[in-house]
Amino acid sequence: NRILNRGSHNHGASHVPPARPPHRAERAMAVMGLSYAHCDARGTWHPYSSDANAVIASAELRGDPTVLLPEVHTNPPTARRFEVRFGAAATSRRLPGGSETGIIQVNLDTDETRIVRRAEDPYHNGSTSNGTPRTSMTVLGRPSALGERGGSFGNTAQAQEPLYGWLLRKASRGWSKGSWQRRFYVLAPRSHALLYFTKGLHSRHVTMVRAADTHAPQARGTIPLTGAVIQPTAVEPDKPHSFTIRIPSAEYNLSARSAPLKEQWLAQMSAIARG
């Protein structure tokens, strides 16, 4: 078992389980496009090996908070053991605020930390509308494995509970107007609203947000859904899974990662809008 206990950051050498080689299915996950890269101190992105990609992809799809990469025996002794952390667990002493991508790599011996992003997915790499990676450290708690999934990343399209997870939002004003930005959304039926955050949330925080717990993370914004008009028409040709929420005071253009997820979001939001 190569996964650390959930929430555990005890990096003593005697407590770090070895990473097992990826199974064939895990390799297939990486081949299907779940590839990753890490950023060095000069801002250069370096792709992971196929084995490392498979390990990271498998962990992200399962919803694991952390995973150990295969040990690099050819590296110097202090550069052999690396852990990849996702979402709420994606912090370190050198990067306490996390990264916008929601994934980091940490050297377990030196605590050197690198930002990790999915190489070809704007829902996970913090890309702008033209595909250029963002380098701003907006903060993050948790990204999504495929935009929506269990654990801290978001729930699945098949889930019956109210949705939460990452969507893209088209900026409507400011210097970033027109670009698509990744935000973490939580559907709160009791509040008849869609809340959004710049940081990803662990599932327990999602529960707190929906319960309006005073200790819940503060939302960056709230979209009231009562009486809202939900339009399924794509906003842009290159965003086929986008849609629009119109309320009297504003218009929000959002995009899911896939058609099934779009339909799930539309169905749940429309039900709340109808009351």
Side-chain angles (χ1 to χ4, degrees):
N1 183 9
R2 73 179 184 281
I3 311 299
L4 296 184
N5 291 333
R6 192 173 291 269
S8 171
H9 286 175
N10 182 353
H11 305 316
S14 61
H15 299 287
V16 179
R20 63 168 173 78
H23 292 312
R24 182 180 302 174
E26 293 172 335
R27 290 180 181 276
M29 292 174 190
V31 171
M32 287 189 298
L34 299 181
S35 57
Y36 304 79
H38 56 91
C39 187
D40 64 22
R42 296 182 297 275
T44 302
W45 290 94
H46 303 273
Y48 283 98
S49 68
S50 58
D51 282 353
N53 272 324
V55 169
I56 299 169
S58 179
E60 190 181 13
L61 287 168
R62 286 195 307 267
D64 296 324
T66 62
V67 67
L68 288 176
L69 296 180
E71 188 167 330
V72 185
H73 297 285
T74 56
N75 282 3
T78 58
R80 295 180 179 178
R81 302 184 309 136
F82 297 93
E83 181 180 78
V84 172
R85 302 175 185 174
F86 304 93
T91 62
S92 68
R93 288 188 295 273
R94 296 196 181 189
L95 195 63
S99 77
E100 186 181 19
T101 66
I103 316 175
I104 64 172
Q105 171 189 286
V106 180
N107 182 319
L108 296 181
D109 294 302
T110 66
D111 206 50
E112 178 188 355
T113 303
R114 292 189 174 189
I115 296 172
V116 176
R117 68 176 174 91
R118 292 185 60 167
E120 299 176 355
D121 189 346
Y123 291 81
H124 301 280
N125 67 11
S127 297
T128 61
S129 58
N130 63 7
T132 303
R134 287 198 189 93
T135 56
S136 59
M137 298 301 296
T138 305
V139 298
L140 126 92
R142 187 82 170 169
S144 143
L146 292 177
E148 314 295 334
R149 52 167 240 190
S152 306
F153 289 104
N155 45 8
T156 65
Q158 291 73 31
Q160 297 303 310
E161 67 173 304
L163 286 169
Y164 63 94
W166 294 100
L167 296 171
L168 295 182
R169 175 187 174 184
K170 188 175 183 180
S172 59
R173 59 181 181 273
W175 65 269
S176 59
K177 182 177 180 180
S179 66
W180 289 86
Q181 303 170 328
R182 197 173 58 99
R183 296 289 182 265
F184 192 90
Y185 287 82
V186 176
L187 196 59
R190 289 198 298 177
S191 301
H192 306 283
L194 181 66
L195 291 76
Y196 60 93
F197 304 78
T198 54
K199 300 175 69 172
L201 303 182
H202 190 279
S203 55
R204 66 177 179 273
H205 292 143
V206 170
T207 300
M208 294 170 65
V209 166
R210 288 184 177 147
D213 191 305
T214 55
H215 296 95
Q218 184 67 41
R220 178 67 178 269
T222 300
I223 304 174
L225 293 177
T226 301
V229 177
I230 314 294
Q231 293 189 327
T233 306
V235 178
E236 296 178 357
D238 63 343
K239 288 288 185 294
H241 311 310
S242 58
F243 54 91
T244 302
I245 303 173
R246 284 193 171 91
I247 61 175
S249 59
E251 177 178 296
Y252 299 88
N253 295 317
L254 307 178
S255 180
R257 190 179 188 278
S258 66
L261 289 172
K262 173 181 176 177
E263 293 305 314
Q264 189 80 351
W265 278 102
L266 290 175
Q268 293 198 11
M269 290 188 296
S270 296
I272 295 175
R274 292 193 301 267

